[in-house]
Amino acid sequence: MFDIQEELTKLPDQPGVYLMHDAADAIIYIGKARSLRKRVRQYFQPSHDEGIRKKQMVQQIARFEYIITDSELEALVLECNLIKEHTPKYNTMLRDDKTYPYIKVTVGEDFPRVLFSRRMKRDKSRYFGPYSNAGAVRDTIDLINKIYRLRSCNRVLPRDIGQERACLNYHIHQCDAPCQGRVSKEEYAKNVERALEFLNGNYKPILRELEEKMNAASDALEFERAAEYREMLSSVKQIAQKQKITGTDGEDKDIIALASDDTDAVVQVFFVRGGKIIGRDHFHVRVGTEEVGSDILTEFLKQFYSGTPFIPHQILLQEPVEDVEILEEWLTKKRGHKVEIRVPQKGTQEKLVELAKKNAELVLGQDRERIKREEGRTIGAVHELEGLLGIGGLNRMEAFDISDINGFETVGSMVVYEKGKPKRSDYRKFKLRTVTGPDDYASMHEVLTRRFLHGMQEQGEVEAGEREEETGHFNRFPDLILMDGGRGQVNVCLKVLDELGLSIPVCGMVKDDFHRTRGLYFDNVEIPIDRHGEAFALITRIQDEAHRFAIEYHRSLRSKSQVHSILDDIEGIGPARRRALMRRFQSIEDMRNATVDELAATESMNQQAAQNVYNFLHSGSPADIAPHD
């Protein structure tokens, strides 16, 4: 259970992005913050008011999550990426990438230019950014062109060399005029390389040079020129605030890092698609004291990518793993294209891995208490149940329930719990074939027989080598069967197991007069259970889940066939006449007491149909009609 007030106390005083979820776990709002602690807390303060729309949003928040970043700029860009990916209900939707500018260097040209761009295209140019301040980007481009004397015109060179006069920039010494052939391609390329070095992050030489010029101009009382250098210096510093949330290579990557202690580990995965971080997930891993990070990562890679439908081109890790060549070969075969597993040592990718590690450490530290509580509710509850029943090795438990309405469309449900948690992929539902009418014992006998007979058949097929892998739905048998009832239901189950030659412990969940579990029926003895213990809570959850799953299936059948009643078995009575009869007569008894003329007076009815109904109702004692859905 997510305790909002408790989780608010764990918020870090760091920049990042927060995601608000509703009760259905849908993301309803995404925001950024310079301080997650201050910003997220504001939403839950009574005095805080951001308008009716935000107030409605706060009322729907069931839980929140967050991703820490290294700067407010990174938080801003990540916020944009996530909003575009998830389109939350309460966000004002951003447009496209025009929000964030790039610096484009046309390295595919013989005499490259440094340009302002709103889009990153797949061409021969190199892109830097995105950046949050368009003005700072334009100032920096002007600065680069001035310092390195690069051209800013649109002339096609070398084709247009000498065709027109040199522009003003040449005469004010801000361009070397390659359009006039006054600089060689090789000399110009050296200046471009220096500009690229600047854009790659080597700002110190320029910052030092600008500061010296600013001080010199100030000393010479040239305050306007000093102010120009000061503005240039400020622009470079803003560009120097690098961000790594959006890359310029457009590649698909998974960034994987972990944090661990003696018994637990959290693996954090950032999903980079098209060069942008569009989401993340974290996974709790139980580890042994002897396991090191590379062991954990190796096992995680095998398990995670055996089940995920998408495998990216690159997987970036915080440290090397064993058998990397075999893993790459396996992943390449699954993907159908080359997959690389790398450990970046420097640059943006290395910083991304470090950011993933920081988030993993945060989750591990703040979720430790929650993990312990969850273990108490699951594994701890299973151990408590083992103690009550005097058995061990409980891993898989199956519970069964029957649902019907007046004997129509009787269905059975099977829910599965492993290590105290529901395993919904193994849930199964049964539509009764041989039982008619409300007979829970006979219905349960059919459901259990079909479940275990099917399992035995699948196990036989597997053992006979007729399948390459286990693909059956029933071939795993439980360590304990839980029956929603006492002695009667347990005896039905034991009878089925005896008929099939199986030996599986069976436990009944005995209810009191208020339909609450009061104890367990096991080995012909009713065992009292502590209603405040974790085992009781687990049994109740399983009981409720089996009942919910059966009811849900029953409702789906009723919605498909509308509501079946005994009237559907009468010749000449279709849905319209059935509804008309049910509107006029409140019960089957009222209908039985009516004359043929009274039945015929019902909307949509005629004399023959009324006679058919009368004859049918007076030929036996049918059950009540099922109510409308």
Side-chain angles (χ1 to χ4, degrees):
M1 186 69 178
F2 190 89
D3 188 330
I4 288 180
Q5 295 304 318
E6 180 182 343
E7 295 301 324
L8 287 175
T9 64
K10 301 177 183 179
L11 287 163
D13 188 18
Q14 298 181 49
V17 173
Y18 54 91
L19 299 89
M20 303 298 195
H21 295 251
D22 63 13
D25 212 31
I27 297 174
I28 58 175
Y29 187 76
I30 296 173
K32 70 169 180 66
R34 180 180 301 173
S35 167
L36 287 166
R37 177 181 298 168
K38 295 176 183 177
R39 181 66 180 119
V40 178
R41 282 180 172 181
Q42 285 180 344
Y43 288 102
F44 303 96
Q45 294 173 355
S47 60
H48 185 66
D49 186 8
E50 292 190 48
I52 296 176
R53 182 174 172 83
K54 285 286 180 69
K55 188 175 181 180
Q56 291 174 341
M57 182 268 290
V58 172
Q59 291 173 347
Q60 297 181 38
I61 296 173
R63 74 177 185 91
F64 59 80
E65 60 175 319
Y66 48 87
I67 305 172
I68 60 171
T69 59
D70 287 333
S71 69
E72 190 177 3
L73 170 61
E74 288 186 355
L76 183 143
V77 178
L78 178 57
E79 176 197 31
C80 177
N81 293 348
L82 294 177
I83 288 174
K84 290 175 184 176
E85 180 68 19
H86 298 287
T87 60
K89 176 181 178 180
Y90 287 97
N91 278 96
T92 300
M93 297 311 298
L94 302 178
R95 293 179 293 168
D96 55 16
D97 287 335
K98 290 181 180 178
T99 308
Y100 301 104
Y102 295 85
I103 293 177
K104 175 181 179 179
V105 184
T106 60
V107 293
E109 298 177 338
D110 288 333
F111 293 89
R113 296 165 293 162
V114 180
L115 306 173
F116 180 98
S117 177
R118 286 287 187 179
R119 292 187 179 277
M120 187 175 65
K121 301 178 181 178
R122 290 183 176 272
D123 54 20
K124 295 181 180 179
S125 300
R126 289 188 60 183
Y127 291 84
F128 299 86
Y131 303 101
S132 61
N133 190 319
V137 170
R138 295 185 192 278
D139 291 345
T140 302
I141 291 173
D142 290 341
L143 176 66
I144 289 172
N145 287 336
K146 289 176 183 178
I147 294 175
Y148 301 114
R149 302 168 68 89
L150 303 179
R151 72 185 183 101
S152 58
C153 63
N154 293 325
R155 299 177 186 180
V156 180
L157 303 180
R159 186 194 69 185
D160 296 341
I161 289 179
Q163 292 187 8
E164 299 181 32
R165 291 184 300 171
C167 68
L168 180 62
N169 285 344
Y170 169 70
H171 296 289
I172 61 176
H173 309 293
Q174 291 186 7
C175 177
D176 284 337
C179 62
Q180 301 300 313
R182 300 183 188 277
V183 60
S184 69
K185 181 178 177 180
E186 291 72 23
E187 290 177 36
Y188 189 92
K190 290 180 182 179
N191 286 337
V192 173
E193 284 300 318
R194 292 174 62 200
L196 289 172
E197 186 179 356
F198 165 79
L199 290 171
N200 275 316
N202 188 9
Y203 305 108
K204 290 183 180 178
I206 287 184
L207 290 172
R208 184 169 54 248
E209 181 181 342
L210 287 174
E211 191 165 0
E212 290 173 355
K213 288 183 177 181
M214 180 183 68
N215 293 333
S218 179
D219 292 341
L221 304 182
E222 297 177 352
F223 297 118
E224 289 187 8
R225 184 175 293 275
E228 289 180 9
Y229 286 127
R230 185 189 63 206
E231 293 300 322
M232 289 182 184
L233 194 63
S234 175
S235 295
V236 173
K237 286 180 178 178
Q238 287 196 51
I239 288 296
Q241 187 188 14
K242 298 179 68 178
Q243 65 86 21
K244 50 191 172 288
I245 300 303
T246 296
T248 57
D249 56 7
E251 289 281 358
D252 294 335
K253 304 183 181 76
D254 283 353
I255 314 294
I256 301 177
L258 69 85
S260 63
D261 56 21
D262 291 340
T263 57
D264 297 300
V266 170
V267 179
Q268 184 81 218
V269 184
F270 283 167
F271 304 107
V272 180
R273 301 294 179 260
K276 300 178 181 180
I277 293 182
I278 63 165
R280 64 92 186 254
D281 207 346
H282 63 263
F283 304 86
H284 293 280
V285 183
R286 169 72 69 181
V287 299
T289 54
E290 72 284 355
E291 289 185 286
V292 296
S294 60
D295 298 330
I296 300 169
L297 285 174
T298 299
E299 290 306 312
F300 177 80
L301 290 175
K302 293 175 185 176
Q303 295 179 37
F304 181 70
Y305 289 109
S306 65
T308 184
F310 180 82
I311 299 174
H313 168 62
Q314 274 191 348
I315 299 171
L316 304 182
L317 306 177
Q318 72 190 89
E319 60 182 279
V321 295
E322 294 182 0
D323 303 324
V324 66
E325 294 85 2
I326 297 174
L327 285 171
E328 285 181 333
E329 182 180 354
W330 170 60
L331 292 171
T332 297
K333 186 176 180 181
K334 283 178 66 68
R335 181 175 185 261
H337 297 282
K338 177 67 176 176
V339 176
E340 296 178 343
I341 300 175
R342 297 182 50 238
V343 180
Q345 301 298 321
K346 60 180 180 179
T348 300
Q349 293 183 342
E350 189 271 335
K351 290 182 171 61
L352 264 178
V353 173
E354 183 62 29
L355 184 63
K357 182 180 179 183
K358 287 181 182 178
N359 277 271
E361 290 171 345
L362 190 68
V363 172
L364 180 65
Q366 296 188 347
D367 280 9
R368 189 170 283 112
E369 291 182 10
R370 184 186 61 79
I371 293 170
K372 288 181 179 178
R373 290 197 303 271
E374 180 66 19
E375 286 184 349
R377 295 176 67 249
T378 56
I379 297 175
V382 172
H383 291 331
E384 189 178 325
L385 183 59
E386 288 177 334
L388 283 171
L389 302 181
I391 59 177
L394 286 189
N395 177 38
R396 181 183 175 96
M397 295 183 285
E398 294 180 2
F400 298 83
D401 193 25
I402 300 296
S403 176
D404 67 73
I405 292 184
N406 295 327
F408 164 67
E409 288 284 24
T410 302
V411 299
S413 70
M414 175 184 107
V415 300
V416 179
Y417 273 62
E418 288 190 356
K419 297 181 179 178
K421 295 181 181 180
K423 188 178 182 182
R424 293 183 173 84
S425 61
D426 282 9
Y427 283 16
R428 292 295 175 264
K429 45 199 176 187
F430 305 82
K431 187 174 180 181
L432 273 292
R433 300 170 180 168
T434 63
V435 181
T436 57
D439 189 336
D440 282 356
Y441 288 168
S443 299
M444 186 62 75
H445 187 280
E446 179 186 330
V447 167
L448 292 168
T449 301
R450 285 167 57 187
R451 183 267 177 270
F452 288 107
L453 188 59
H454 196 162
M456 293 169 68
Q457 292 170 347
E458 287 184 353
Q459 286 182 349
E461 289 174 355
V462 172
E463 291 170 3
E466 296 178 13
R467 301 187 181 191
E468 295 180 0
E469 57 183 0
E470 289 193 1
T471 57
H473 299 318
F474 297 100
N475 49 28
R476 291 191 59 199
F477 284 174
D479 303 307
L480 178 69
I481 300 171
L482 293 167
M483 304 303 299
D484 188 24
R487 182 193 301 267
Q489 292 284 16
V490 169
N491 287 338
V492 169
C493 184
L494 290 173
K495 180 181 178 183
V496 170
L497 296 176
D498 184 60
E499 290 171 351
L500 298 177
L502 298 174
S503 178
I504 301 173
V506 182
C507 177
M509 299 176 282
V510 185
K511 297 184 180 69
D512 60 18
D513 294 336
F514 298 98
H515 208 70
R516 297 175 303 190
T517 301
R518 73 164 189 250
L520 304 175
Y521 184 78
F522 185 70
D523 274 352
N524 294 316
V525 176
E526 184 174 324
I527 304 170
I529 187 169
D530 180 7
R531 291 189 176 182
H532 302 289
E534 293 293 352
F536 176 80
L538 175 61
I539 289 293
T540 302
R541 289 196 299 273
I542 294 174
Q543 210 168 23
D544 291 344
E545 182 70 351
H547 187 60
R548 178 202 65 79
F549 191 53
I551 292 294
E552 184 181 87
Y553 179 40
H554 199 280
R555 283 176 180 163
S556 70
L557 292 178
R558 287 159 56 200
S559 65
K560 292 176 184 177
S561 62
Q562 297 299 313
V563 179
H564 184 93
S565 78
I566 58 170
L567 297 182
D568 291 328
D569 299 323
I570 304 174
E571 184 180 353
I573 302 300
R577 286 176 172 170
R578 183 195 67 198
R579 287 193 296 269
L581 287 167
M582 294 175 71
R583 280 194 298 267
R584 182 171 181 188
F585 301 99
Q586 298 302 310
S587 69
I588 196 70
E589 194 62 32
D590 290 343
M591 212 176 296
R592 185 183 293 113
N593 293 332
T595 65
V596 174
D597 290 338
E598 288 173 336
L599 293 169
T602 305
E603 181 185 356
S604 302
M605 293 289 287
N606 58 32
Q607 199 71 23
Q608 183 59 54
Q611 188 65 54
N612 292 344
V613 172
Y614 185 88
N615 294 341
F616 184 88
L617 293 178
H618 289 80
S619 62
S621 301
D624 286 346
I625 300 171
H628 281 292
D629 213 12

